[in-house]
Amino acid sequence: MGGKRRSYDAPFREGAVRIVMETGKPAAEVARDLGVHEGTLQTWVHRAKARADAEAAGGLNESEREELRRLREENKQLRKENSEIGMERDVLKRSVVLWVKEATK
């Protein structure tokens, strides 16, 4: 059905994208010259353009998006823990009130 899937290191991908973007050659031609599938190179170019557009628009880069995701998850966990602690506190307050009422009878 299909052959073994090849992987390319980051410097190779970046170099291939730079060739397409800086020379203006079609991605299909550059892909043939480098021995890369045309769709693969077009995907790399599309992602690079999207990153460049996001950075130009003041958006977040990949590491910032990952940190934001991690912080949101941490915030969600802390809110959950805070809610649980609040419920425990309320139960303890009610227990103390009942205990005091019972002790003063």
Side-chain angles (χ1 to χ4, degrees):
M1 190 157 175
K4 184 177 178 185
R5 188 176 173 131
R6 292 186 59 186
S7 63
Y8 302 94
D9 62 356
F12 179 83
R13 291 190 305 264
E14 292 166 5
V17 169
R18 274 193 19 240
I19 291 171
V20 171
M21 295 176 93
E22 292 176 4
T23 65
K25 288 184 179 179
E29 181 182 337
V30 175
R32 272 193 308 276
D33 293 344
L34 297 175
V36 177
H37 189 273
E38 177 183 346
T40 302
L41 181 56
Q42 288 176 339
T43 298
W44 297 344
V45 171
H46 176 72
R47 287 180 183 164
K49 286 180 179 179
R51 276 194 305 270
D53 291 345
E55 289 174 7
L60 304 175
N61 63 35
E62 269 185 66
S63 65
E64 290 171 329
R65 282 193 300 273
E66 176 60 30
E67 182 179 10
L68 180 60
R69 186 204 59 76
R70 183 186 59 77
L71 290 172
R72 284 180 174 164
E73 184 62 35
E74 182 181 343
N75 190 28
K76 180 180 173 183
Q77 181 64 31
L78 291 171
R79 286 180 188 271
K80 180 180 175 188
E81 290 174 11
N82 190 33
S83 175
E84 291 171 359
I85 290 170
M87 286 188 286
E88 290 172 4
R89 183 200 60 222
D90 293 343
V91 168
L92 288 172
K93 279 183 179 180
R94 290 183 190 122
S95 298
V96 168
V97 168
L98 291 174
W99 180 74
V100 169
K101 283 182 181 180
E102 190 65 32
T104 58
K105 278 186 180 179

